[in-house]
Amino acid sequence: MAQFRLQGSKVLAVDMTGDAVKAKNGAMVAYDGEMAFKKMSGGGDGIRGMVTRRLTGEQMEVMEVKGHGTCYFADRASEINLVSLRGETLYVEASNLLCTDSALRTGTTFTGIRGAAQGNGLFTTTVEGTGQAAIVSEGPAVVLRVTSQYPLQVDPGAYVAHTGDLRQHFQSGVNFRTVMGEGSGESFQIRFEGEGLVYVQPSERNTVGGDV
């Protein structure tokens, strides 16, 4: 299996001995050894994944990298976070997924109103199986634990990914901008309940749901 490691905080180094990984198209910045690159249409697994992505608008241009040596990946100097999966599912925005083990299955899932709030469509990307994935964030991601006793509210623009048995609720209410008097109109939040981890970035992307 390919070995993921960070070369600093903004470059992912993947050591391969005949292994393969799937990475965001154009994310390779350097490599040593012998590598082969192949563009994969759609980014999902199989025909169903391709069709689903085209219908839902959850776009993810992916390439397969296979060979012997080390390949380095980066995405616009974003911070990189490693996620180890052991039979779990990672839910992540397509734009935040940098690289995965080839053994991990990718697909899409319905996210309800949250997707509409972010302006990213009603679906999000799923990564399932056992292996490693690398996700990017604007600034170092903070990993917050959700328990049955302590639910979590997240601004849609700061959400990156989550794992575990979590339920999402889209709710209107105040956010930091409305509290500080900088917002206008209705504001929205994502409420997570259950047991799991939520990855939040210390920077807000522009969203429709954050300030309508």
Side-chain angles (χ1 to χ4, degrees):
M1 183 176 291
Q3 298 298 312
F4 286 39
R5 56 187 173 87
L6 293 179
Q7 194 81 14
S9 64
K10 299 181 180 181
V11 176
L12 171 69
V14 182
D15 301 315
M16 289 179 274
T17 55
D19 316 283
V21 296
K22 293 179 287 189
K24 180 180 291 189
N25 195 36
M28 188 276 293
V29 295
Y31 71 90
D32 58 45
E34 297 184 0
M35 297 287 169
F37 302 86
K38 181 176 69 175
K39 185 174 181 180
M40 302 175 66
S41 299
D45 289 329
I47 298 298
R48 182 179 180 183
M50 293 168 57
V51 173
T52 300
R53 290 180 187 279
R54 288 173 181 172
L55 289 175
T56 62
E58 178 72 358
Q59 298 296 325
M60 185 173 67
E61 295 295 329
V62 174
M63 62 180 177
E64 181 186 69
V65 184
K66 184 176 183 180
H68 293 78
T70 302
C71 198
Y72 300 89
F73 302 95
D75 184 18
R76 295 171 295 180
S78 297
E79 297 285 335
I80 300 174
N81 312 271
L82 297 183
V83 181
S84 295
L85 298 176
R86 297 175 179 83
E88 309 158 89
T89 299
L90 171 71
Y91 300 85
V92 58
E93 298 301 326
S95 60
N96 293 100
L97 184 58
L98 178 66
C99 187
T100 70
D101 281 325
S102 61
L104 293 174
R105 303 179 301 278
T106 55
T108 54
T109 189
F110 182 70
T111 58
I113 303 177
R114 180 183 66 77
Q118 288 186 255
N120 291 343
L122 293 175
F123 290 75
T124 197
T125 295
T126 58
V127 182
E128 302 176 79
T130 298
Q132 285 193 293
I135 58 178
V136 295
S137 58
E138 296 180 19
V142 178
V143 185
L144 302 175
R145 180 171 294 279
V146 181
T147 67
S148 56
Q149 292 81 18
Y150 296 100
L152 179 71
Q153 276 74 227
V154 177
D155 188 295
Y159 170 82
V160 174
H162 74 271
T163 59
D165 184 17
L166 292 176
R167 300 178 301 279
Q168 301 176 62
H169 303 284
F170 184 70
Q171 62 185 30
S172 61
V174 296
N175 62 12
F176 291 116
R177 282 173 291 179
T178 55
V179 168
M180 298 300 294
E182 298 176 357
S184 61
E186 190 72 15
S187 58
F188 301 90
Q189 298 172 339
I190 315 166
R191 179 181 174 89
F192 289 93
E193 298 177 350
E195 300 283 340
L197 301 174
V198 178
Y199 293 77
V200 178
Q201 63 184 10
S203 174
E204 290 182 301
R205 65 173 72 84
N206 293 326
T207 65
V208 176
D211 189 14
V212 175

